[in-house]
């Protein structure tokens, strides 16, 4: 691994704290990793961009998938995952997910998560797209993510883990050999720490969530700006499969000009029997797939888009009027409230829906222990590409992946530091960090990465929506690449002899991160000349296993150009 030497333009850190592990992110993946590291005796610091419970996890409606029901098996869960992944899943990664998943969910329950149960006390299970069995555990009807987030946040606070909230991570610190030495971050607002500082640690866990804000309309919260992927790229890590962005089929349609976070209408609504219909009331998914509305998400999203094109419509409808008021109020209270807040009553009206950016199946490439190609840097959750999701994530596998792989990487960090601890002569009872932190290379005097102006965030989002959305082609991707390159060049041209660029700040850092991930996504989507999973090329409508049953791996060069290579097969090569 060769470091790029690239860092965001930012002031030098004005304060620092030591730790054994710093976890960046506070969703299911980040907090699970932090709790497991703390339980192993490691001094752990959690850094999160907003409040502890403000990440993407709390927005998850449907639930968490695991073979918990009678007659269900990990093998059946594996088969459904592999089918959804359209030939690009790493089969070992999937095997680990489904075999370790049930016990991981039980440990989550032991941590305090309360799932919906029947009168006998058994966990209630539902179905979602791509699943042949009921294996989705849910909480609060359609508030699963909020309940999981509550339980984990409560556990973190009860155990007294050190947390730094309202902090945007900037860059990875590395030593002279390129090994992880911590992170720099900017704390927004007054507190114990303010402004740019650093957490020095020999292990960094990226659990920063997704990058849905790279598009104009998304189900992701405003904090999902691809910060972890961008950081990893600048650190020299490999990123893979960013072209596979899942567009959720059923997002509440708020008008053609709606931008920002849009209300999700969970797949569980279809799992309970809702139908997709056009303006004439015709169920257009019948005959397109054996599971009709419960086909994998890429197939349903494409079915909706095709029908919209055929009818010249801006949206389709999800009809669940037959549920009745009682079911809506008790099974889907969150969705019911969101619809009514926008003037739609699903008890008496079909819900207008259209696809919107939802989940990144790709991310920072890891092995089955969460290790990236940068020594000491780990990743889990949506920011990571473990190989589980392939070309299209199976519904409700995301929370499970975050849970399972967070536990796996925490075990690896503990084992790694226990080994180094013994060599260094430290003890587990040492009140300070157990492993000496490598000395980071000095903060650069001039920026190696120019910053975009705040208004360029909207420009990136519109470029991506127009050129790299649900429907893509060589022409649309070429236009997107050219326009992104213009933004990149314009920002570079702002550098003068003294290295000045746009004013450092949260808006400019986020806009720059979005541009970084957008460039990778478009480059990969343009190179992959086929339609597979949630990557839909109008000019290459067929899946091409002979040429493209493999992954695209991208790194950032020191001159900020992109290097792209392909793997030999659908399985990832080792990261170390």
């Amino acid at each position: 691994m060769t470091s790029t030497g690239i860092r965001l333009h930012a002031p030098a850190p004005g304060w620092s704290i030591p730790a054994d592990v710093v976890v960046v992110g506070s969703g299911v993946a980040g907090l699970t990793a932090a709790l497991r590291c703390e339980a192993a005796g490691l001094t752990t610091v959690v850094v999160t961009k907003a409040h502890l419970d403000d990440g993407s996890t709390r927005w998850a409606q449907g639930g968490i998938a695991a073979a918990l029901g009678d007659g269900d098996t990990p093998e059946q869960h594996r088969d459904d995952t592999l089918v959804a992944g359209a030939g690009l899943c790493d089969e070992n990664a999937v095997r680990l997910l489904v075999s370790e998943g049930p016990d991981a969910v039980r440990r989550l329950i032991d941590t305090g998560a309360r799932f919906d149960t029947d009168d006998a006390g058994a966990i209630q299970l539902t179905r979602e797209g791509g699943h042949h069995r009921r294996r989705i555990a849910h909480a609060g009807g359609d508030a699963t993510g909020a309940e999981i987030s509550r339980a984990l946040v409560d556990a973190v606070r009860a155990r007294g883990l050190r947390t730094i909230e309202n902090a945007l991570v900037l860059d990875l610190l590395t030593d002279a050999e390129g090994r992880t030495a911590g992170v720099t971050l900017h704390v927004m607002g007054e507190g114990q720490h303010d402004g740019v500082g650093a957490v020095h640690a020999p292990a960094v866990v990226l659990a920063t969530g997704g990058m849905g804000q790279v598009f104009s309309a998304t189900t992701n919260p405003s904090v999902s700006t691809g910060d972890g992927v961008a950081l990893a790229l600048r650190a020299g890590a490999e990123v893979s499969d960013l072209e596979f962005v899942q567009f959720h089929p059923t997002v509440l349609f708020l008008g053609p000009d709606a931008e920002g976070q849009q209300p999700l209408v969970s797949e569980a609504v279809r799992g309970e029997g809702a139908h997709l219909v056009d303006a004439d009331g015709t169920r257009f998914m019948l005959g397109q797939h054996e599971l009709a509305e419960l086909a994998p998400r890429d197939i349903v999203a494409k079915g909706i888009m095709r029908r919209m094109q055929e009818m010249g419509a801006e949206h389709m409808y999800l009809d669940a009027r037959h549920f009745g008021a009682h079911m809506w109020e008790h099974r889907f209270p969150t969705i019911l409230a969101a619809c009514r807040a926008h003037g739609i009553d699903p008890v008496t009206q079909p819900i207008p829906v259209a696809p919107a950016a939802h989940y990144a199946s790709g991310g920072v490439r890891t092995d089955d222990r969460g290790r990236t190609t940068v020594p000491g840097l780990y990743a889990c959750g949506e920011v990571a590409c473990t190989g589980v999701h392939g070309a299209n994530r199976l519904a409700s596998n995301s929370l499970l992946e975050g849970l399972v792989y967070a536990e796996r990487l925490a075990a690896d960090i503990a084992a790694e530091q226990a080994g180094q601890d013994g060599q260094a002569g430290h003890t587990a009872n040492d009140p300070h960090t157990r492993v000496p932190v490598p000395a980071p290379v000095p903060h650069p005097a001039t920026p190696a990465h120019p910053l975009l102006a705040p208004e360029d965030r909207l420009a990136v989002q519109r470029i991506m929506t127009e050129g790299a959305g649900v429907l893509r082609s060589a022409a649309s991707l070429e236009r997107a690449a050219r326009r992104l390159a213009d933004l990149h060049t314009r920002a570079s041209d702002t550098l003068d002899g003294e290295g000045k660029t746009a004013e450092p700040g949260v808006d400019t850092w986020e806009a720059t991160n979005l541009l970084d991930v957008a460039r990778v996504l478009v480059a990969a989507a343009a190179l992959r000349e086929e339609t597979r999973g949630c990557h839909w090329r109008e000019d290459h409508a067929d899946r091409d296993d002979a040429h493209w049953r493999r992954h695209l791996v991208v790194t950032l060069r020191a001159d900020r150009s992109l290097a792209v290579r392909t793997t030999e097969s659908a399985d990832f090569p080792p990261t170390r």
Side-chain angles (χ1 to χ4, degrees):
M1 193 284 301
T2 303
S3 174
T4 66
I6 299 172
R7 292 184 182 174
L8 289 174
H9 181 36
W15 53 269
S16 66
I17 57 176
D20 291 320
V21 186
V22 55
V23 177
V24 186
S26 60
V28 62
L31 295 188
T32 299
L35 288 166
R36 297 295 180 266
C37 286
E38 187 271 342
L42 303 177
T43 303
T44 305
V45 174
V46 177
V47 174
T48 187
K49 196 172 179 180
H51 296 295
L52 279 180
D53 60 354
D54 275 349
S56 293
T57 290
R58 68 183 288 255
W59 296 98
Q61 295 175 345
I64 185 167
L68 298 167
D70 291 341
D72 197 5
T73 64
E75 289 72 26
Q76 293 177 66
H77 189 185
R78 176 203 62 200
D79 292 345
D80 286 345
T81 300
L82 294 177
V83 169
L88 274 191
C89 296
D90 183 301
E91 294 197 21
N92 179 62
V94 175
R95 179 185 60 79
L96 292 172
L97 177 83
V98 300
S99 60
E100 297 180 11
D103 283 344
V105 172
R106 294 182 185 103
R107 284 189 289 273
L108 179 62
I109 293 171
D110 290 341
T111 302
R114 298 187 292 266
F115 290 96
D116 295 337
T117 57
D118 59 23
D119 293 339
I123 296 175
Q124 290 183 338
L125 301 172
T126 190
R127 278 183 69 193
E128 291 184 358
H131 293 273
H132 283 79
R133 283 189 175 274
R134 286 183 170 263
R135 65 168 65 98
I136 316 300
H138 48 83
D142 58 359
T144 309
E147 170 57 18
I148 290 174
S149 180
R150 179 209 61 77
L152 292 172
V153 168
D154 285 354
V156 164
R157 288 175 174 156
R159 297 184 191 182
L161 268 72
R162 188 167 192 172
T163 61
I164 304 175
E165 296 181 283
N166 300 307
L168 172 64
V169 66
L170 299 176
D171 280 300
L172 188 74
L173 294 172
T174 55
D175 65 12
E177 283 71 46
R179 183 174 178 83
T180 293
V183 291
T184 56
L185 60 152
H186 173 76
V187 180
M188 299 166 270
E190 296 181 0
Q192 184 178 1
H193 301 291
D194 195 13
V196 175
V199 180
H200 293 154
V204 171
V205 177
L206 295 179
T208 52
M211 56 182 195
Q213 289 290 326
V214 79
F215 294 96
S216 296
T218 177
T219 63
N220 289 191
S222 61
V223 296
S224 298
T225 50
D227 307 319
V229 171
L231 175 150
L233 282 166
R234 292 191 294 271
E238 293 182 354
V239 169
S240 187
D241 295 0
L242 280 201
E243 68 269 35
F244 297 115
V245 175
Q246 189 174 80
F247 287 77
H248 198 287
T250 54
V251 175
L252 184 63
F253 181 75
L254 300 180
D257 299 322
E259 294 183 330
Q261 186 178 9
Q262 312 289 300
L264 176 67
V265 182
S266 170
E267 197 153 327
V269 178
R270 281 176 280 138
E272 296 292 352
H275 302 143
L276 281 167
V277 298
D278 58 24
D280 297 328
T282 301
R283 286 182 63 187
F284 55 87
M285 286 303 300
L286 292 176
Q288 292 198 36
H289 189 276
E290 61 169 335
L291 297 176
E293 285 94 349
L294 285 177
R297 287 179 178 175
D298 62 311
I299 294 172
V300 178
K302 291 170 187 174
I304 291 174
M305 292 298 296
R306 289 193 186 99
R307 196 63 158 191
M308 286 165 57
Q309 290 177 323
E310 291 169 1
M311 301 189 71
E314 295 178 323
H315 61 82
M316 289 289 108
Y317 293 93
L318 187 64
D319 192 352
R321 290 174 290 180
H322 56 285
F323 284 4
H326 183 269
M327 182 172 178
W328 269 110
E329 291 165 0
H330 290 83
R331 180 65 178 87
F332 301 111
T334 307
I335 299 170
L336 177 64
C339 289
R340 285 177 170 170
H342 291 282
I344 302 295
D345 187 352
V347 177
T348 60
Q349 300 170 272
I351 305 168
V353 293
H358 181 57
Y359 189 88
S361 292
V364 185
R365 190 170 81 80
T366 73
D367 64 9
D368 62 15
R369 288 183 277 176
R371 302 182 302 180
T372 74
T373 51
V374 176
L377 179 64
Y378 294 76
C380 58
E382 190 173 355
V383 70
C385 183
T386 62
V388 159
H389 304 308
N392 181 52
R393 173 179 66 100
L394 181 66
S396 287
N397 266 357
S398 51
L399 291 175
L400 188 71
E401 183 200 32
L403 192 63
V404 167
Y405 280 86
E407 292 188 340
R408 294 186 65 80
L409 71 79
D412 189 78
I413 293 171
E416 177 83 8
Q417 296 207 11
Q420 293 184 35
D421 185 37
Q423 295 171 15
H426 287 228
T427 69
N429 295 321
D430 192 327
H432 304 292
T433 56
R434 296 171 57 193
V435 176
V437 179
V441 296
H443 190 82
T446 58
H449 198 312
L451 301 179
L452 264 64
E455 59 269 21
D456 287 333
R457 174 173 178 152
L458 285 175
V460 171
Q461 291 171 331
R462 289 167 181 168
I463 290 168
M464 294 298 289
T465 296
E466 293 170 12
V470 181
L471 297 176
R472 304 165 179 174
S473 67
S476 75
L477 291 165
E478 192 279 328
R479 285 193 301 271
R482 185 175 64 249
R483 294 170 67 189
L484 292 173
D486 288 344
L487 287 176
H488 186 255
T489 300
R490 192 172 75 215
S492 300
D493 289 345
T494 64
L495 290 169
D496 61 22
E498 297 178 356
K500 292 185 178 179
T501 180
E503 190 68 24
V506 173
D507 290 344
T508 54
W509 290 322
E510 286 187 335
T512 303
N513 285 339
L514 285 172
L515 177 62
D516 287 345
V517 297
R519 291 176 62 215
V520 175
L521 193 161
V522 168
L527 188 59
R528 184 174 289 279
E529 295 181 331
E530 65 162 353
T531 290
R532 181 188 297 271
C534 50
H535 172 65
W536 188 4
R537 286 284 298 264
E538 292 180 282
D539 51 345
H540 294 280
D542 298 323
R543 172 170 154 176
D544 183 358
D545 280 350
H547 296 95
W548 289 111
R549 192 166 181 259
R550 59 193 67 198
H551 302 275
L552 295 172
V553 178
V554 184
T555 53
L556 187 66
R557 298 189 181 99
D559 64 358
R560 301 196 308 280
S561 63
L562 300 176
V564 186
R565 68 178 176 87
T566 59
T567 60
E568 295 298 320
S569 70
D571 293 331
F572 281 125
T575 58
R576 304 287 168 86

